[in-house]
Amino acid sequence: MVKIAFNSALAQKALGKEVPESPEWFDPEVASAPVGSEGSTGRCLLTLLGIAFILSGLIVGGACLYRYFTPKRLYHGAMQFTDMSSGAESQPYYLPQVEEEVEISDSMAVISVPPPRFRPGDPAYILHDFHRKLTAYLDLTLRTCFVIPLNTSVVLPPQDLIDLFSQLISDSYRSYLVHEDLVVTERIEDVKPLGFYIRRLCDGKKTYRMERRGNIQKRSVDDCFTIHHFENKFVTETRICKA
Ligand SMILES: *[C@@H]1O[C@H](CO)[C@@H](O)[C@H](O)[C@H]1NC(C)=O
């Protein structure tokens, strides 16, 4: 006890001398605290070390979370196509083409479709959730989401999609057009049950359920809109119509 009291008295004496010499960056509150300057320098170093340790932890942790939550690979690809239904040789000078940006991970693919340059069609995000087996179209013109069960006979699984887009980097791909008619059935009020990815895409937007319409019916153009995209070796023209 005596020794401790003596030490602290000594420390205070030393402090009195050293305060004026303390460097400017030194926190005055720490400097004026009744502790020995050597002790406070040590404490400061420890604090800095601690902060560095916490920061590196945050960076490593953040990187892990980032890897976990965001798709790992980004691809770009374009596909030219002939539309057999509009007469085979009706476009002799150029073939229409669809461009896409796509992010692919083990559990999902998000396709970004820009506005088409030479034919009508909406820009969109198309999200395929391979675990939940759902597809969501976010039409960027209407700012509206449309959800339908994933069609696994059209949408390639992640690894095959990666192979397809790797092939598109080197080749200019010529393909054909497939028409698909979907019809809106009901409004979805709560997007939470649709899973993390679709919820993130469609939260705050009007969201509807859709189903495939087998026999194509005549509709006024006002009630329908189209999105051109590909997630296989052919281009799909998805026509979405209000019921
Ligand atoms: C998947 O798409 C193809 C081509 O559009 C269609 O023939 C088939 O009926 C669809 N399957 C399901 C389960 O919707």
Side-chain angles (χ1 to χ4, degrees), residues 148-155 178-182 211-212 234 236:
I148 193 163
L150 177 73
N151 187 334
T152 47
S153 63
V154 170
V155 180
V178 170
H179 294 267
E180 170 181 72
D181 265 87
L182 306 179
E211 64 182 29
R212 184 166 304 274
F234 50 85
T236 306

